[in-house]
Amino acid sequence: MIGRVFNNRYQITERIGIGGMAEVYRAQDNVLGRMVAVKVMLPQYAADQSFTQRFKQEAASAANLQSPYIVNVYDWGQDEGTYYIVMEYVRGSDLKTAINQRGAINQRKVAEIGSQVCQALSVAHGLDIIHRDIKPQNIMVQPDGNVKVMDFGIARAKNSTKEQTSSVLGTAHYISPEQAQGKELTATSDIYSLGIVLYESATGKLPFDGPDAVSVAMKQVQDEPVPPRELNPEIDPSLEAIIMKAMAKNPMERFATAKEMRSALNDYLAGRPVMLGGGFTSAQTQVMSNVPPISPMGDGTAVMPAVGGNQHGTSKSGQSHSYMSDNTAPKNNKKKIAAIVAAVVAVVALIAICAFALGGNGDSKEQIEVPDVTGQTLDEAKSAIQSAGFTVGTVQQQYSDKVESGKVISQDPMGKSKKAKGSSINLTVSQGTQEIEVPDLTGKTADEAKKLLQANGLKFKAGAAEYSDTVDKDLVVRQNVEAGSKVAKDTVVTYYLSLGSEGSSVPNVVGQTRSAATTTLNNAGFYVTYDEQYSDSVAEGVVISQTPESGSKLKADGTVNIVVSKGKESKAVSVPNVVGQSEGAATTTLSNSGFQVTTEYQASTSVSAGNVISQTPSSGSELDPGKTVHLVISTGSGSTGGGSDNSGSGGSSTSGGSGANSTGGGSGTGSNSTN
C-alpha cells in the first residue's frame, strides 16, 4: 500500500494504525499540499456489501459534523475496488495510550477533556447522530492539550432504520446498559460511555472488567461501579458526582444532554457549585450526607439532636456506626463539650452551605458588569475583558456566514451580565464562511449524489440528462463544479445523469451486394432486414439504400434495413398469333404490338404462297416490347425463297424455277439470296 496514490491525489506514505475493519495511513494530498490521514477498508471486507455500506455511512455521518473537537472528513471514494476515507491528520496520541502510560490523569485535565468531548457530542446529537462508540481509543489528545473525537464508524441517525443487531456494536467496556441489551439508543447512551471514559481517566482503571466481552456487558447492566474516590482519594467530590451521574444505569437519571453535562464540568473547572438536579449542588450533597438529622421544634426552630441519643449513620465502608450513644458516651465533660462543639460546627457549616446556595455563588468578590465583546476581533476582545477585570477563558473557533473571520461570535457569560471580578469569559470566534471541498459525484445515482452534497453542506440541482459511452444509464456523468474545488456552504452543484451510450456509427453498405452488406452490418453489431425493388440504374442484387443512414448512431443489437435492387422492371406483353396470315398482315399486327419482325421463305405444300407458316416465339409467349418476332413465309409448293428483310419483298427461287413473289426475277439456285 505504501506509495500507492488514490484518485490520482492521495499518496500513501506510512501506516499509522489498524482497526477491526480498516487500516489508517498517513498520506500526502498532492492537490492541496497537506498531510492527511487515509482510512482504507481491509480487502477481506471490500466485497461485503454490509461492510462497504457501513464504511460509506461513516464518511457521510462524519462529513457533516463541524466542530473544533471533531476530526474533519475531507473526502471518500473507491479506487480499483478499495474503499477509502480521507480525514484530517491529527498529531498526538489517543487517550487510551495516555492512560496506559501514565495511569490516572490530573482531575482538572479529565474535566477539560470531558467538556470538549461533550461539545463534540452536542454537535452530533444536534443532527440526531449518536456516536455509539465513545471510548478513549477514539479521543485524540493533541500536543496543545485539546482533543478531537474520531471514528464515527458505527454512528447513525437515531431515526434511521437498520437491523436491531447494529445497536449492540461498540466496545463492551464502554457500552451503556441499554446498548448491551440491544435496546434503542438515545444521546444519553453516549453520555454513559463518556462517564466511563472519565472514570478510567481519573482513576486509571476501568469500572467493569472481565474475561470476555459478554461478562463485561453483563456487569454494565447489573453491577454498580466502585465510587472513583475509593480508587483515587484525590478526586474532587464534585467531579466524582458528575461521573457517577453520567454512569447512572437508568438513562433518565443521567444528564439529559451533552450540553448539560458540559455545563456541569465547566462549573467544576471554574470553581462554581456543580448543579446535579434536585435543587442541590454536589458540595451540598456531600456534606449533608454526613450530618445528623436536625429536628425542628414546633415554632420551626432547628434543634440539635440529643447528645445522648442513639443516632446512627453509615461509614464509607458501609458499616453502621453511632454518632453518640448512652452506652459508649464518655463520662468525661471535656469529651462532651468537644462533641457539642463538633455538632455546632456541623450546623454552622450546613447553614453556611444553605446561605451559599441561596445567595448565588457565595463569592465575596465584587460583582461587576461583563463587557460585551461580540463583533470585536479576538485581540480587541481580550483587551476589553482584561481591562474590565476579567480573565479570558477558553477560545473556540466556529464557522459563520454572518460574522467576519477573526471576530467574536458569542461569549459566555453574556455581555452586560454581572459576574465576580476575575471570572473567566469564554469566547467563540468566527473562522469565516466555511469552505467546503466539492465531492466527486461521477458514477453515483441521483439519490447518492443528493445525499453526498447535503452531507457536505451543499445544495443540488439536476441538469439535463445526456448520452455517455463511458457511464452507465441513470448514473452521474458530470457535474458543473469540479470535484475537489473549494466553495462556500450552500453552493448549488448541478449534476447530469447519463442516458447511456448513444450507440455505434452505422457503416455505409450502399452499393454492396446483399450478402456483403449483411456481413458488414453483423460485424458492427447490428441486425439486418431487407426489402427489394426494381431499379433502372442499380444492378440486380445490389443495395440501393439503407435505414438508418451511414454515420447515424445506433445502440448495439439495433436493426438496419437495406433495400436491394431487383434490376429493371419487366414490361413483357403476349405475342399475338399471326400464323396463316399474309406476310403484310402479320408484319402489321406484330409492329402494332411493339415488336420487330424478321422473315424467311420456304416452300410449303400446305400453306399458300405469301402466308405465314410459323412464328418464333410462338403465340402467347411473353416478350418485352422492342424484341423481335421471326416469321417463316410460304413460297408455295414450287420454289423456296430465302433471306428476308423487314419490307417483306424479294424472293428466292430454286434452280430452273422462277421466284414467284420476287421482285426482279432471278434464276438459278440462289436460295437465301435477297434481291
Side-chain angles (χ1 to χ4, degrees):
M1 191 68 67
I2 305 301
R4 181 172 174 181
V5 180
F6 287 105
N7 198 26
N8 296 318
R9 178 172 182 176
Y10 307 108
Q11 185 170 4
I12 305 298
T13 59
E14 178 187 5
R15 190 174 82 169
I16 56 179
I18 184 169
M21 59 180 285
E23 293 175 301
V24 182
Y25 295 86
R26 184 163 57 190
Q28 176 70 27
D29 183 342
N30 293 328
V31 174
L32 297 179
R34 65 182 176 186
M35 194 70 69
V36 295
V38 177
K39 189 173 187 177
V40 180
M41 179 182 284
L42 294 173
Q44 60 264 39
Y45 299 118
D48 188 319
Q49 188 175 1
S50 64
F51 277 98
T52 57
Q53 183 61 34
R54 177 179 162 190
F55 203 74
K56 294 176 183 177
Q57 179 184 319
E58 174 181 357
S61 297
N64 204 32
L65 302 177
Q66 299 297 323
S67 167
Y69 304 121
I70 295 177
V71 175
N72 288 317
V73 171
Y74 298 139
D75 193 9
W76 64 288
Q78 179 185 9
D79 189 301
E80 297 180 356
T82 301
Y83 291 86
Y84 65 92
I85 299 174
V86 182
M87 304 177 292
E88 174 187 7
Y89 178 73
V90 181
R91 290 176 171 80
S93 64
D94 62 80
L95 181 57
K96 186 68 173 181
T97 300
I99 295 171
N100 290 338
Q101 292 175 348
R102 307 174 193 172
I105 297 173
N106 176 276
Q107 58 184 319
R108 287 191 61 82
K109 187 61 184 175
V110 171
E112 290 174 1
I113 290 171
S115 175
Q116 293 178 3
V117 174
C118 281
Q119 196 277 343
L121 290 177
S122 293
V123 172
H125 295 168
L127 296 174
D128 282 344
I129 294 174
I130 303 169
H131 188 288
R132 298 172 170 261
D133 199 19
I134 291 295
K135 57 187 178 183
Q137 294 91 327
N138 284 338
I139 300 172
M140 294 296 295
V141 182
Q142 302 175 94
D144 63 359
N146 290 323
V147 303
K148 281 185 177 284
V149 180
M150 64 179 184
D151 200 356
F152 279 74
I154 58 175
R156 67 177 175 87
K158 70 180 181 182
N159 58 355
S160 66
T161 57
K162 205 169 182 68
E163 293 88 320
Q164 182 72 11
T165 54
S166 69
S167 63
V168 298
L169 291 172
T171 305
H173 288 101
Y174 305 93
I175 60 174
S176 64
E178 61 268 25
Q179 193 170 4
Q181 294 173 295
K183 295 180 179 178
E184 182 177 356
L185 305 187
T186 65
T188 58
S189 299
D190 285 344
I191 290 173
Y192 181 93
S193 298
L194 178 57
I196 293 184
V197 170
L198 299 187
Y199 183 109
E200 183 183 11
S201 300
T203 65
K205 296 182 180 180
L206 287 161
F208 305 112
D209 205 354
D212 54 61
V214 174
S215 62
V216 175
M218 292 297 295
K219 289 181 179 180
Q220 298 282 17
V221 176
Q222 299 174 351
D223 294 0
E224 291 293 335
V226 175
R229 295 182 70 213
E230 289 193 19
L231 301 177
N232 181 4
E234 294 182 3
I235 296 176
D236 189 284
S238 295
L239 180 59
E240 180 185 64
I242 292 172
I243 293 172
M244 295 300 285
K245 182 176 179 66
M247 290 177 59
K249 300 295 183 185
N250 184 351
M252 299 296 292
E253 296 176 2
R254 301 171 199 156
F255 293 98
T257 64
K259 183 177 180 181
E260 181 181 313
M261 183 175 177
R262 181 169 180 256
S263 295
L265 289 165
N266 287 345
D267 286 341
Y268 161 73
L269 290 169
R272 297 188 291 266
V274 178
M275 301 301 297
L276 298 177
F280 296 105
T281 66
S282 59
Q284 288 172 298
T285 304
Q286 180 69 23
V287 174
M288 291 173 67
S289 65
N290 294 316
V291 176
I294 302 172
S295 303
M297 295 178 63
D299 61 358
T301 304
V303 178
M304 288 296 299
V307 174
N310 190 14
Q311 307 290 341
H312 290 278
T314 304
S315 70
K316 186 176 179 182
S317 64
Q319 296 178 340
S320 177
H321 71 279
S322 62
Y323 292 108
M324 197 65 67
S325 169
D326 286 338
N327 297 328
T328 59
K331 308 203 185 286
N332 189 309
N333 287 337
K334 290 184 179 179
K335 291 187 177 181
K336 285 184 178 181
I337 293 171
I340 293 172
V341 171
V344 170
V345 170
V347 172
V348 172
L350 177 61
I351 294 172
I353 291 169
C354 293
F356 185 94
L358 294 173
N361 59 13
D363 198 330
S364 60
K365 292 183 180 179
E366 178 187 359
Q367 296 282 313
I368 57 177
E369 185 177 281
V370 176
D372 185 353
V373 295
T374 55
Q376 297 182 16
T377 66
L378 180 58
D379 289 340
E380 291 171 345
K382 287 181 177 179
S383 177
I385 289 170
Q386 292 166 353
S387 297
F390 298 96
T391 60
V392 178
T394 60
V395 178
Q396 300 181 10
Q397 291 190 326
Q398 180 178 310
Y399 290 109
S400 174
D401 297 331
K402 298 178 180 179
V403 180
E404 184 181 342
S405 177
K407 293 189 176 181
V408 176
I409 300 173
S410 62
Q411 63 184 81
D412 180 26
M414 296 177 60
K416 308 299 183 183
S417 62
K418 296 278 190 176
K419 291 295 174 182
K421 189 174 182 179
S423 298
S424 295
I425 310 298
N426 301 319
L427 303 176
T428 301
V429 180
S430 172
Q431 290 179 273
T433 301
Q434 181 180 0
E435 283 193 336
I436 298 173
E437 188 171 317
V438 178
D440 187 359
L441 308 178
T442 306
K444 293 177 173 54
T445 65
D447 284 344
E448 290 172 340
K450 292 175 185 177
K451 290 178 181 177
L452 184 55
L453 290 171
Q454 288 176 324
N456 282 275
L458 302 172
K459 295 183 178 179
F460 60 84
K461 179 182 177 182
E466 55 191 50
Y467 290 105
S468 172
D469 292 331
T470 58
V471 179
D472 291 341
K473 188 177 184 296
D474 295 330
L475 300 181
V476 176
V477 63
R478 67 182 180 91
Q479 59 198 83
N480 70 328
V481 182
E482 184 179 356
S485 57
K486 296 282 189 177
V487 297
K489 185 180 179 181
D490 292 330
T491 295
V492 178
V493 178
T494 303
Y495 62 86
Y496 301 84
L497 295 179
S498 171
L499 290 171
S501 175
E502 190 176 7
S504 304
S505 293
V506 177
N508 184 15
V509 294
V510 173
Q512 296 183 17
T513 64
R514 172 183 164 183
S515 175
T518 301
T519 300
T520 299
L521 293 170
N522 288 162
N523 290 340
F526 304 119
Y527 292 108
V528 180
T529 60
Y530 72 93
D531 295 317
E532 293 181 317
Q533 69 180 42
Y534 293 105
S535 173
D536 293 336
S537 58
V538 179
E540 183 178 357
V542 174
V543 176
I544 300 171
S545 63
Q546 65 184 75
T547 305
E549 296 179 348
S550 62
S552 301
K553 294 289 187 178
L554 188 64
K555 291 184 178 180
D557 296 334
T559 300
V560 178
N561 180 263
I562 59 175
V563 178
V564 180
S565 174
K566 294 168 61 177
K568 291 183 179 181
E569 183 178 8
S570 174
K571 299 178 182 179
V573 295
S574 180
V575 177
N577 183 12
V578 294
V579 173
Q581 294 183 16
S582 66
E583 179 181 355
T587 300
T588 300
T589 298
L590 292 171
S591 295
N592 289 339
S593 295
F595 303 115
Q596 300 292 323
V597 180
T598 59
T599 59
E600 69 173 281
Y601 299 90
Q602 68 181 40
S604 173
T605 58
S606 60
V607 179
S608 300
N611 289 342
V612 177
I613 300 172
S614 64
Q615 64 183 71
T616 305
S618 60
S619 62
S621 300
E622 296 293 324
L623 191 65
D624 289 339
K627 298 294 184 179
T628 300
V629 178
H630 185 71
L631 303 178
V632 177
I633 308 300
S634 172
T635 58
S637 59
S639 62
T640 300
S644 69
D645 59 23
N646 288 333
S647 68
S649 62
S652 61
S653 64
T654 60
S655 174
S658 63
N661 297 323
S662 66
T663 303
S667 62
T669 61
S671 88
N672 295 326
S673 66
T674 302
N675 295 318

